[in-house]
Amino acid sequence: MAVALRQNRPGTAKQDLYSWSPQDMDDMNTTLVCHQYIQQLIRADNSDVAKIVACPDEQDPDVWQYEHIRQICMELNGLVLALEPGCTKEKFPTMFTKSSEMQFLCAVYNPPRSTDAMTYIVNTLDHTIGQLCSEKMFPSRLVVCLDRVLMEQSLQTLSFGWISSAVFLT
């Protein structure tokens, strides 16, 4: 039985990227099954959010959530690029809530300090991705320890705090 090669060749036109037929999760032969399956669901119909976030019965819910957070962080890079031209140091010298009642301090610095909005966003996303890719914190992408799930939830809160601000920044 021939194994179908599922890769984009150099020079593939944009409209032909990922043009292979979808696979069932059980038929995927890789250690990154969950990650690849989520990406396949997104490419098939990115508007079907219920299907994309629904955890398959045989999948560990913690790993499913972890891989979704990784995917979201990957896609947030595009949002950062879209915000960059209009989110200048002059226009947004600090990261704050819409009502300006609360200012965000960038935890990348020791001690945490106020920064312009774009620096805050880039540093927070970079820190979050670094934590999610840390072999020390997540030694395996196949099994996520329950105590790490609490860390993921704090990373979600940290990362998605600036997303709500992005609406205001645009």
Side-chain angles (χ1 to χ4, degrees):
M1 178 171 113
V3 177
L5 192 59
R6 299 173 62 84
Q7 68 182 40
N8 295 307
R9 305 295 302 161
T12 302
K14 184 177 181 179
Q15 68 271 15
D16 297 329
L17 292 172
Y18 312 105
S19 60
W20 50 77
S21 56
Q23 276 184 307
D24 288 333
M25 196 171 186
D26 295 333
D27 296 336
M28 292 183 174
N29 186 17
T30 176
T31 56
L32 302 176
V33 170
C34 188
H35 173 75
Q36 290 180 352
Y37 187 69
I38 289 169
Q39 288 186 335
Q40 176 179 286
L41 291 173
I42 292 168
R43 281 192 295 272
D45 183 3
N46 63 7
S47 66
D48 192 352
V49 177
K51 183 175 182 179
I52 294 168
V53 298
C55 183
D57 293 334
E58 65 279 359
Q59 182 61 52
D60 178 349
D62 295 337
V63 172
W64 186 253
Q65 179 185 13
Y66 170 78
E67 288 297 341
H68 270 284
I69 295 168
R70 285 178 58 101
Q71 181 67 34
I72 289 167
C73 286
M74 286 172 33
E75 305 223 6
L76 284 176
N77 284 301
L79 176 60
V80 171
L81 289 173
L83 288 174
E84 190 174 27
C87 188
T88 63
K89 287 183 180 184
E90 294 76 28
K91 196 170 180 183
F92 298 99
T94 59
M95 185 70 177
F96 54 88
T97 59
K98 187 173 183 176
S99 63
S100 299
E101 293 174 5
M102 188 168 85
Q103 183 176 348
F104 292 88
L105 298 178
C106 190
V108 171
Y109 302 102
N110 188 9
R113 64 180 168 104
S114 177
T115 62
D116 64 278
M118 184 53 74
T119 300
Y120 177 87
I121 290 168
V122 170
N123 286 342
T124 302
L125 183 58
D126 184 55
H127 176 72
T128 302
I129 291 170
Q131 296 290 320
L132 290 170
C133 295
S134 167
E135 287 187 18
K136 182 179 178 184
M137 294 186 68
F138 298 100
S140 170
R141 287 176 64 179
L142 303 176
V143 177
V144 176
C145 300
L146 290 177
D147 60 333
R148 298 296 183 213
V149 172
L150 295 175
M151 175 62 74
E152 286 181 48
Q153 290 169 349
S154 69
L155 289 171
Q156 286 174 352
T157 303
L158 185 64
S159 292
F160 300 130
W162 69 260
I163 294 172
S164 60
S165 298
V167 174
F168 174 68
L169 294 172
T170 55

